[in-house]
């Protein structure tokens, strides 16, 4: 089963939500941020509470938004509190210490990628570009539709979404779409 189980980028409100957390209900917290036995086993290897909580945040973030955030604690307070509750960590504010050592965050990111067999975006980018070009050619869909199917394509392959903002991703897809429109014009009129 793929780790990435939700991605707000594919919803209509995704324009402002790409790579960010929206307001979450208790039901959403329980659905998307529950730590199962496999998750807990990985987390248990951490010694300090702030590393356990930080690792858990990295894990649920990639599961919910499909990417690792540059600032791993830039999440709603209720997510931190819910994870701390599950991990029996009395002081959720300890997570701020997770930011002290950047290499630890990258080590944890790599461990999560390996544990859940995630594919970094860079490894599928060229294939995605070709696929988007084919979709633009065959369907004539606009940028938003192409972006939606691109996100779905990445999720089907258990690939991480690019860690960029919505405008950059939209620009990327728009350029791909525009280049194929120009190509088609010249192919027809050349």
């Amino acid at each position: 089963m793929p780790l990435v189980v939700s991605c707000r980028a594919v919803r209509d409100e995704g324009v402002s939500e790409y790579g960010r957390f929206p307001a979450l209900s208790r039901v959403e917290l329980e659905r998307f941020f529950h730590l199962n036995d496999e998750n807990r086993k990985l987390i248990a290897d951490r010694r300090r509470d702030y590393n356990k909580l930080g690792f858990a945040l990295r894990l649920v973030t990639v599961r919910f938004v499909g990417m690792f955030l540059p600032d791993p604690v830039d999440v709603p307070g209720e997510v931190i509190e819910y994870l701390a509750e599950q991990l029996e960590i009395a002081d959720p504010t300890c997570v701020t210490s997770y930011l002290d050592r950047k290499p630890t965050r990258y080590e944890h990111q790599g461990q999560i990628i390996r544990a859940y067999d995630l594919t970094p975006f860079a490894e599928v980018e060229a294939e995605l570009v070709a696929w988007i070009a084919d979709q633009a050619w065959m369907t004539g869909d606009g940028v938003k539709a192409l972006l939606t199917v691109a996100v779905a394509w990445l999720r089907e392959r258990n690939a991480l979404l690019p860690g960029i903002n919505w405008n950059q991703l939209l620009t990327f897809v728009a350029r791909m779409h525009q280049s194929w429109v120009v190509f088609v014009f010249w192919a027809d009129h050349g």
Side-chain angles (χ1 to χ4, degrees):
M1 172 185 257
L3 175 66
V4 179
V5 294
S6 174
C7 181
R8 293 288 179 130
V10 299
R11 298 183 181 177
D12 287 340
E13 69 269 24
V15 171
S16 62
E17 299 296 332
Y18 184 82
R20 302 179 74 60
F21 283 83
L24 299 164
S25 69
R26 183 66 184 194
V27 171
E28 287 175 309
L29 282 172
E30 292 170 357
R31 180 176 178 199
F32 296 112
F33 302 98
H34 173 75
L35 299 172
N36 63 27
D37 292 340
E38 182 182 358
N39 302 150
R40 289 174 184 275
K41 184 179 176 190
L42 283 170
I43 294 165
D45 291 338
R46 317 300 136 212
R47 290 179 296 194
R48 295 177 183 86
D49 283 350
Y50 63 85
N51 276 331
K52 289 179 183 182
L53 193 49
F55 187 93
L57 276 173
R58 302 292 272 175
L59 178 67
V60 299
T61 298
V62 77
R63 183 165 67 197
F64 190 72
V65 297
M67 69 180 77
F68 293 102
L69 300 179
D71 179 355
V73 300
D74 185 20
V75 301
E78 62 263 25
V79 172
I80 295 171
E81 291 168 11
Y82 184 67
L83 292 173
E85 180 185 312
Q86 291 179 78
L87 297 171
E88 299 177 358
I89 295 173
D91 180 17
T93 63
C94 73
V95 76
T96 58
S97 295
Y98 185 68
L99 299 174
D100 291 346
R101 190 170 178 277
K102 203 171 192 173
T104 299
R105 291 182 278 172
Y106 290 120
E107 290 166 15
H108 289 176
Q109 185 173 313
Q111 291 165 352
I112 292 167
I113 288 170
R114 287 187 299 280
Y116 293 96
D117 197 28
L118 300 173
T119 304
F121 178 75
E123 292 182 20
V124 296
E125 183 176 9
E127 185 181 354
L128 176 62
V129 166
W131 187 82
I132 289 173
D134 287 346
Q135 291 300 302
W137 174 266
M138 293 185 308
T139 67
D141 284 344
V143 174
K144 187 172 181 179
L146 289 173
L147 180 59
T148 300
V149 295
V151 169
W153 185 92
L154 289 164
R155 290 179 65 211
E156 288 170 6
R157 285 154 183 77
N158 213 27
L160 295 169
L161 298 178
I164 56 180
N165 69 39
W166 176 268
N167 290 332
Q168 290 171 314
L169 187 58
L170 195 60
T171 300
F172 168 76
V173 173
R175 284 185 183 156
M176 286 301 308
H177 183 260
Q178 184 181 32
S179 68
W180 278 100
V181 169
V182 170
F183 174 78
V184 169
F185 174 81
W186 286 111
D188 289 343
H189 298 91

